[in-house]
Amino acid sequence: MEQYDCIVIGAGQAGVPLAKKLAKAGKKTVIIEKRYVGGTCVNDGCTPTKAWVASAKAAYMAAGKSDALGVKIKGYKVDMRQIMKRKDDIVMKSRLGGQKGIEDTKNLTLLFGEASFVGPKVILVELNEGGPVEMTADLIFIDTGAKPLIPEIEGIKDIDYLTSTSILELDEVPKQLLVIGANYIGMEFGQMFSRFGSKVTMLEKGRRILAQEDNDIAEEMHKILAEENIDIYVDAKTTGFKKTKKGKIKVTAEIKGKEEEFTCTHVLIGIGRVPQTEALNLEKTGVKVDDRGFIKVNSKLETNVKGIYALGDVKGGPAFTHIAYNDYTIVYRNLFENARLTTTNRPLPYCMFTDPQLGRIGIDETTAQKQGLKYKIAKLPMAHVARAIEVGDTRGFMKAVVDPESKKILGAAVLGSEGGEIMSVLQMAMEGGITYDRIRYCVFAHPTYSESLNNLFMALEP
Ligand SMILES: Cc1cc2nc3c(=O)[nH]c(=O)nc-3n(C[C@H](O)[C@H](O)[C@H](O)COP(=O)(O)OP(=O)(O)OC[C@H]3O[C@@H](n4cnc5c(N)ncnc54)[C@H](O)[C@@H]3O)c2cc1C
């Protein structure tokens, strides 16, 4: 049996930087990956989708939007093979770069294979090439991420449905794409494929799209997608799938209590993700999971078994790359730099990369209401933002929740061009304690989007 100081399971967004840092600190470390270095983000998530979002934006401009800027584009063509190749090149560069970074690190071994526990701190790896190997270490870090959740809907096993992973292998544009689930992943793919030329229909079980966001955000986003000819049905429970004789898929759904039928060429399941914990055989260690299989951790990311930690998506909670990365810094710095970091109250910024983007930080209006806080709302339509007018995209609005007494910003939502970047400016203000009455008079470069933060907070003038 191989003896290591540290074992890292999963070469994802927490696992790779953690393993490198442990090895550089002199710990004999092994990192085990069953598939590709970089995990979901690099191979099936952020990187490929944002590469495609860029191609979709180019198609959207060519299809007519550039006309309004005085540039006429005739006879444009969406070349899905080239779009695919561009995405694959970006992914491969990142994947192989990450792999080389591991291979070049002293004290660090990379094994390709599936890991599972066979004893409290004993791991068995079924190597992708070669037989099984066993190893042990005092410190074990689980970063196995998540995978698409597939619902049990009648007929689903009889159709070739797509997931957020398999849709990235399509080298042709679906004629009719039906997306089940109108949340971040479904919205990004739905808009992207509509721009590539698919007729997109979205079915959302909830009463509105983007269930976690304020009502006005969801309504505005719904309107934006509807203007792009995407059909969205809410209160729509998908009840069955059937293959037709012509090779299409018939989808039945209960919409506002009434049965409806749709016919499409492709179905994308975008209803959420489940943790990759099944194969880990956690019973052998006593590590506890919740009723959905996510690993339970304390605020320092340690499981109920001393020396075994879980990081990233596999522990539940917000599933983002920057959170997985922050998990690694918490765990590493606590263990090796005598820090006392926890996940409690850490900022949670995120961005939905639709066009326009939705950048979010802090609490929203709904939460402020629920918590009975004394708050005020500052709101500015993008149509009042000079930069947005010049660029030719005035969809959406900026919105901030503030404390009228301390004048602190409690949260913000920016639905607009570069919404993620504008949100980050507000995040910096929140973290640095810069109050809204100061931002009102900050000197920003003209004409940037952020300059309009002056006006956003002017709206709060007594
Ligand atoms: C379509 C899509 C778009 C996304 N876009 C964004 C975005 O724009 N911004 C953002 O912040 N986040 C985005 N995310 C989420 C982001 O990708 C994840 O939050 C992030 O990758 C989580 O990192 P992780 O380290 O927890 O796990 P992962 O990156 O998933 O890595 C886990 C790794 O563990 C490996 N593994 C699993 N089980 C085993 C085992 N038993 N043995 C060995 N190896 C194993 C897996 O193969 C995988 O490589 C997106 C996700 C999807 C699906």
Side-chain angles (χ1 to χ4, degrees), residues 48 84 92 151 418:
M84 168 80 84
M92 284 309 277
E418 304 300 345

Side-chain angles (χ1 to χ4, degrees), residues 274-339:
V274 285
Q276 303 207 80
T277 41
E278 250 176 55
L280 286 173
N281 232 350
L282 289 172
E283 316 80 70
K284 297 277 181 197
T285 64
V287 165
K288 288 196 177 125
V289 296
D290 69 13
D291 51 3
R292 292 161 66 208
F294 290 102
I295 297 178
K296 288 186 179 177
V297 290
N298 63 19
S299 65
K300 291 184 171 174
L301 300 164
E302 195 168 18
T303 66
N304 58 302
V305 177
K306 203 173 169 350
I308 302 185
Y309 292 79
L311 306 88
D313 290 3
V314 76
K315 67 173 198 311
F320 298 106
T321 283
H322 43 281
I323 294 299
Y325 188 86
N326 185 250
D327 286 353
Y328 129 68
T329 61
I330 290 175
V331 168
Y332 181 83
R333 291 174 65 196
N334 284 346
L335 280 172
F336 298 99
E337 291 177 0
N338 293 323

Side-chain angles (χ1 to χ4, degrees), residues 60-90:
Y60 172 70
M61 295 306 287
K65 273 292 146 189
S66 73
D67 267 23
L69 303 180
V71 179
K72 317 255 178 227
I73 301 176
K74 259 198 188 156
Y76 82 96
K77 179 174 173 261
V78 170
D79 183 342
M80 208 56 212
R81 280 167 203 265
Q82 197 181 329
I83 289 172
M84 168 80 84
K85 186 181 176 311
R86 174 176 178 273
K87 179 263 293 175
D88 287 345
D89 288 348
I90 297 170

Side-chain angles (χ1 to χ4, degrees), residues 17 42 92 132 172 177 189 199 212 221 225 234 255 259 285 315 342 365 377 425 459:
V42 166
M92 284 309 277
E172 53 170 19
L177 177 67
F189 278 115
K199 174 62 203 159
Q212 291 94 324
M221 196 66 223
L225 293 183
V234 293
I255 300 178
E259 178 137 322
T285 64
K315 67 173 198 311
T342 70
E365 189 175 1
I377 297 291
V425 175

Side-chain angles (χ1 to χ4, degrees), residues 44 53 168 235 288 290:
D44 322 294
V53 162
L168 292 165
D235 210 346
K288 288 196 177 125
D290 69 13

